[in-house]
Structures are given as structure tokens and as C-alpha cells.
Amino acid sequence: MTNNTTNQNTTTNFFDSNIDTETIKRTQNYRAPVDVYETEGAFRVIADMPGTSSEKIAISVEDNMLTIDAEVLDRYAAFGKLRHQEYGVGDFHRSFRIGDGIDADCITASYRDGVLELTLPKSQALKPRKIDIKAA
Amino acid sequence: MNTRTILTPATNAMDSLRHELDRLYDRVTTPALASSWPTRIFDSMRSHPAVNLLEDDDNLYFEAELPGVEGADLDIRASDRTITVSGCRTVDTPDDATTLRHERSTLRFERTMRLPVDVESDAIDARLESGVLTITLPKGKPARSRRVAVRNA
């Protein structure tokens, strides 16, 4: 007797079929939702990317394109069967056009609780400048 | 210089639509969901968080993606046949900041799910790691499969 047959009458349809977890992780990329904020000195990009780790996130700037790629760990390999699925699991990808206004060498990033946070400092050209008036 | 154009997503509205359709397509083409297809789609749009349920011989695993949620913000309640997960996350807008793009939601959520088998509700374990909540629900004794040895007469 397998577990499949232990379902009782009260069980609704969607519990009835089992899928091999090996097929679950998608080869496609998912688009992570982001918030973007601008402050006086920097832009901040905050992205929901659950299920990855800081070592698996690649952030690059090339030809004025900021690209974020996050490899999601194949966390279902250790489990048995998927009984019920409402979301797909796959790697995350987002890219943004950035102008010359960002100091690409000074971008910083942190990853915590499944949320990636980038700080992109503005280059001097974009920062509001305060012009000192010299005393005569 | 107009700073508003600095961070323009390279993806456009069509990409966004394509993404949504991809996720929808996953659901439609998933054999487990095909039989109850139309209602499932609308159910999952209403239900937060979305849940994947996994199983092995001994346990059910209730999994939900909850990026930005901390353990202290979660409330998990279980009985033999149901589990309820509720909580919230707040999206803080930094002080003195202009919002250029807002796709992440401030989330208050509550989800109750009826389980396919009885579980031992006093032995449930919950882990929150990298924004993924995994609740391990040990199956009740009758639900576990047992190998029955046949004795010689």
C-alpha cells in the first residue's frame, strides 16, 4: 500500500495526483518584483528573491545595463513528491537601463530574508551641488 | 538632467505580462492542477501566500515564499487536518526618498489549508530561511504506510 491510497473521501481533487519533484524547478527565469527609490545621493533597488543565497546572486553592470541574476537552490530535491503546487520555482532575473549617472564601482548589495537590496550611488554629475559663495 | 530616466527596467509591460502568463501556464500545464483548472487559478489569485505542498513517507511539507517576513511576524496554527499561517510584512519607504517603482506589496496574509492526511499537530516544525517558509508536518500514525511482515505458519 502506498501513501497515495491513504487519501480519504474528504480530500479534494487537487491532492490526488503526485508529481515527481525532480521536474519541479523550471528552467525559465522569473521576474523578481522590485521597488526603486531615489534619494539625494543614491538609488536603492529592493527585490524579492526568496530561496537563493548571497553567493548565488550575480550583479553586473555592462553597457549601461544593470543585471541581476539569482540562482535559486533546488530545494525540492530532498523531498518526496509534490502533492499540490501553486507557484513555480526557478531562477530570478531582472535588468535595468542605467545612464551615466551611477557610480558603478561603488554599488553595494545585501541579501537578507529573501530580499536583495542594492544601493547605487549617484555619480558626481547627478548629485545636487551646493555652490559656496566665497566671502569677498 | 532628468534623473527619473536613470533606472528604467529593461523589461517592459509585455515582458511583465509574459511573466504572468508563464506562471499561469505552469499552473495550467501542471497535471495535478489540470482537472480542477479554472477554479484553481482564481483561488490562488485570492490566496496569499501561495502554497506548495510536498510529501514523503513520514511528513507533509507546507512551503510558502515569504520574502522580507521575519519569524516574529508569523503566526502558525495547526490541528490534525488543517494548518493556518498568518502574518504580515511591511515595506518601509526610506526617509526622504522618492519612489520610482513599486512592485513589491505590503502584505498582510492569512492562509488556511486543509491537509490531505491527519498530522501530529503537536510535533510540527517550522523553518524560515531566505524568505522561504517550510513547515514539516509529521503524518499521523494511520496515514503512514507500513510494511507488513508475513509470518510463516
Side-chain angles (χ1 to χ4, degrees):
Chain A
M1 182 165 132
T2 70
N3 284 309
N4 302 3
T5 56
T6 60
N7 294 347
Q8 289 162 23
N9 293 336
T10 50
T11 308
T12 41
N13 265 342
F14 53 74
F15 285 121
D16 284 348
S17 70
N18 288 338
I19 311 157
D20 196 330
T21 47
E22 281 171 25
T23 62
I24 295 311
K25 190 178 165 185
R26 309 289 298 185
T27 50
Q28 73 185 68
N29 288 322
Y30 286 113
R31 176 178 176 272
V34 299
D35 289 347
V36 181
Y37 300 108
E38 179 182 0
T39 60
E40 200 173 286
F43 294 95
R44 284 175 67 202
V45 176
I46 301 169
D48 285 341
M49 294 182 161
T52 180
S53 67
S54 49
E55 301 82 42
K56 300 283 184 185
I57 301 172
I59 300 156
S60 66
V61 179
E62 204 179 336
D63 298 334
N64 286 341
M65 288 282 283
L66 168 73
T67 306
I68 306 169
D69 279 294
E71 186 187 333
V72 170
L73 312 174
D74 198 354
R75 56 184 184 257
Y76 291 163
F79 294 111
K81 300 276 185 188
L82 189 66
R83 287 293 297 261
H84 169 63
Q85 183 181 20
E86 292 175 352
Y87 59 90
V89 174
D91 299 339
F92 291 107
H93 173 85
R94 260 330 263 272
S95 53
F96 300 87
R97 252 174 237 109
I98 57 174
D100 299 328
I102 284 168
D103 192 347
D105 293 332
C106 296
I107 295 174
T108 56
S110 67
Y111 181 71
R112 185 167 171 260
D113 296 337
V115 179
L116 176 72
E117 198 165 326
L118 296 184
T119 303
L120 303 99
K122 291 180 185 175
S123 60
Q124 287 304 322
L126 265 192
K127 285 185 187 162
R129 263 167 303 192
K130 186 169 185 297
I131 316 247
D132 291 329
I133 300 169
K134 287 181 196 161
Chain B
M1 190 184 295
N2 180 6
T3 59
R4 296 292 176 276
T5 61
I6 292 292
L7 266 173
T8 319
T11 47
N12 58 25
M14 281 311 291
D15 288 332
S16 167
L17 179 62
R18 192 190 65 102
H19 167 79
E20 293 306 321
L21 288 173
D22 282 346
R23 281 218 156 182
L24 208 55
Y25 182 79
D26 281 354
R27 292 190 186 128
V28 174
T29 56
T30 301
L33 308 179
S35 58
S36 51
W37 171 66
T39 47
R40 289 258 14 113
I41 290 170
F42 295 113
D43 277 353
S44 61
M45 282 178 172
R46 277 204 302 269
S47 307
H48 291 286
V51 171
N52 283 349
L53 193 69
L54 295 106
E55 174 184 35
D56 62 18
D57 287 347
D58 299 324
N59 300 300
L60 293 175
Y61 304 94
F62 173 107
E63 188 199 77
E65 292 182 331
L66 298 169
V69 174
E70 292 172 16
D73 299 328
L74 271 177
D75 188 57
I76 300 169
R77 284 159 203 276
S79 68
D80 294 348
R81 268 297 176 109
T82 60
I83 181 155
T84 300
V85 173
S86 60
C88 63
R89 78 159 182 188
T90 46
V91 173
D92 293 329
T93 309
D95 290 338
D96 308 325
T98 311
T99 303
L100 303 184
R101 193 158 192 88
H102 184 64
E103 297 172 357
R104 302 166 67 234
S105 50
T106 302
L107 213 55
R108 177 163 287 282
F109 54 86
E110 177 166 332
R111 183 76 195 266
T112 297
M113 186 180 241
R114 190 164 166 75
L115 300 167
V117 297
D118 282 345
V119 296
E120 290 172 20
S121 54
D122 50 359
I124 290 170
D125 178 64
R127 275 184 48 178
L128 188 58
E129 191 178 353
S130 301
V132 179
L133 173 70
T134 307
I135 305 175
T136 303
L137 305 135
K139 290 181 185 175
K141 294 238 157 45
R144 296 191 191 190
S145 66
R146 270 161 301 188
R147 188 179 155 77
V148 179
V150 180
R151 285 185 294 173
N152 291 320

